[in-house]
């Protein structure tokens, strides 16, 4: 089971109960039940309360509106931060969050609902244990081209994504920098540029075709010149030889 602790304004006000969260009613899957809990072990029973998944092997789909809507991040730094605690050793399970646009129908949210950012740990087998950082850009979900390994123990871990106005980013786990860089280098926001490869060579069959074309063009030029020369010679009258008579 997983516990999320959100560092949001609504949590700081110590809102109790799950009434603020909207459970998806989208058909096709039976969603698991969520509740508020500090978990089986904690530091402070009150301060460590968060959302807890109550059933194993279930999909979960709940959402809530931000207390302060994000109109624009232009010229600003965006920070997404939350805690995850896997209280039991899991072999497959996601503890990530998605930030949706305000147009989301919360009662019909499902796995294919368009989102803006997806961030957090995802565990699938012994080798696939990564932190997802996915941006939706022009209708496409762009994956981070670098690997960030997530924590897979049973303790609480703080995940932080920082996106700065200068188009740089940073991912931290427990306030330790795990990855950073430039957005246009680590995601495919821009179309790839075509750069001439100085070591590239033309295939042999294309070279032979080009050579044959050049030879054919050369032969035609010779014939034209030869024909032109003959016509010019035929049209030019011979000059009679004049001998001086003494």
């Amino acid at each position: 089971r997983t516990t999320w602790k959100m560092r949001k304004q609504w949590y700081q006000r110590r809102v109790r109960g799950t009434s603020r969260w909207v459970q998806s009613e989208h058909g096709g899957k039976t969603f698991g039940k969520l509740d508020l809990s500090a978990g089986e072990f904690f530091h402070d029973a009150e301060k460590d309360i968060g959302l807890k998944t109550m059933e194993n092997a279930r999909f979960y789909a709940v959402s809530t509106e931000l207390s302060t809507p994000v109109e624009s991040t232009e010229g600003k730094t965006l920070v997404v931060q939350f805690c995850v605690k896997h209280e039991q050793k899991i072999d497959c399970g996601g503890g990530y969050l998605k930030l949706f646009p305000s147009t989301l129908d919360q009662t019909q949210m499902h796995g294919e609902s368009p989102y803006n950012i997806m961030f957090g740990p995802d565990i699938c087998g012994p080798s696939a244990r990564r932190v997802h950082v996915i941006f939706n850009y022009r209708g496409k979900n762009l994956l981070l081209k670098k690997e960030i390994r997530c924590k897979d123990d049973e303790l609480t871990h703080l995940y932080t994504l920082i996106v700065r106005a200068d188009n740089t980013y940073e991912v931290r786990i427990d306030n330790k920098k795990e990855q950073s860089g430039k957005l246009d280098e680590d995601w495919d926001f821009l179309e790839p540029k075509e750069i001439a490869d100085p070591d590239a060579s033309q295939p042999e069959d294309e070279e032979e075709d080009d050579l044959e074309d050049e030879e054919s063009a050369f032969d035609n030029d010779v014939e034209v010149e030869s024909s032109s020369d003959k016509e010019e010679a035929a049209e030019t009258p011979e000059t009679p030889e004049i001998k001086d008579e003494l």
Side-chain angles (χ1 to χ4, degrees):
R1 296 187 177 92
T2 303
T3 300
W4 291 275
K5 186 171 69 174
M6 305 290 293
R7 295 183 181 274
K8 301 289 185 182
Q9 185 175 353
W10 58 265
Y11 182 75
Q12 293 170 357
R13 291 176 180 172
R14 296 190 176 185
V15 176
R16 292 294 178 256
T18 58
S19 60
R20 183 170 184 136
W21 293 89
V22 178
Q23 174 67 58
S24 174
E25 300 172 1
H26 186 75
K29 293 179 181 178
T30 301
F31 295 111
K33 181 183 177 182
L34 288 162
D35 204 350
L36 292 177
S37 172
E40 297 178 4
F41 55 93
F42 45 82
H43 174 70
D44 188 296
E46 288 294 315
K47 294 181 179 180
D48 291 347
I49 289 179
L51 279 176
K52 181 177 180 179
T53 59
M54 305 303 293
E55 301 173 76
N56 293 329
R58 293 285 191 181
F59 289 98
Y60 292 86
V62 295
S63 61
T64 185
E65 294 183 354
L66 296 177
S67 56
T68 303
V70 179
E71 298 294 341
S72 173
T73 58
E74 184 176 359
K76 302 176 183 178
T77 297
L78 173 68
V79 179
V80 181
Q81 186 180 74
F82 64 103
C83 293
V84 178
K85 177 172 65 172
H86 297 296
E87 290 189 336
Q88 59 194 49
K89 283 287 186 179
I90 63 172
D91 187 60
C92 186
Y96 47 80
L97 295 180
K98 292 180 179 180
L99 298 183
F100 294 93
S102 59
T103 54
L104 173 71
D105 182 351
Q106 293 178 263
T107 62
Q108 294 301 315
M109 183 181 67
H110 55 88
E112 300 303 318
S113 296
Y115 58 86
N116 294 327
I117 298 176
M118 172 174 155
F119 171 62
D122 189 19
I123 297 175
C124 187
S127 58
R129 297 169 182 260
R130 64 174 62 89
V131 176
H132 285 300
V133 186
I134 304 176
F135 294 102
N136 183 283
Y137 182 67
R138 294 181 177 177
K140 295 182 179 180
N141 293 331
L142 306 182
L143 278 66
L144 175 64
K145 292 187 285 187
K146 296 178 179 179
E147 283 289 327
I148 307 175
R149 187 173 177 84
C150 67
K151 302 298 182 180
D152 56 4
D153 53 35
E154 301 172 28
L155 303 177
T156 299
H157 295 285
L158 178 66
Y159 289 85
T160 306
L161 168 65
I162 304 172
V163 182
R164 299 184 176 89
D166 61 356
N167 289 331
T168 61
Y169 77 96
E170 185 177 330
V171 175
R172 300 177 184 175
I173 302 179
D174 299 332
N175 282 326
K176 177 185 176 183
K177 183 170 70 174
E178 298 291 338
Q179 195 58 264
S180 64
K182 296 182 178 180
L183 296 178
D184 59 350
E185 292 180 355
D186 294 346
W187 285 268
D188 292 326
F189 285 104
L190 305 177
E191 294 293 333
K193 297 181 180 179
E194 294 184 2
I195 302 176
D197 185 358
D199 299 325
S201 60
Q202 191 176 19
E204 293 182 359
D205 54 346
E206 291 187 8
E207 291 180 354
E208 292 176 357
D209 292 341
D210 291 344
L211 182 59
E212 291 177 0
D213 292 340
E214 290 176 3
E215 292 177 350
S216 176
F218 178 75
D219 292 341
N220 292 334
D221 291 342
V222 171
E223 289 178 1
V224 171
E225 291 176 2
S226 176
S227 175
S228 177
D229 290 344
K230 288 181 180 180
E231 291 176 0
E232 184 178 353
E235 293 175 358
T236 305
E238 294 183 1
T239 303
E241 184 180 355
I242 301 176
K243 296 182 179 179
D244 293 336
E245 294 182 359
L246 299 177

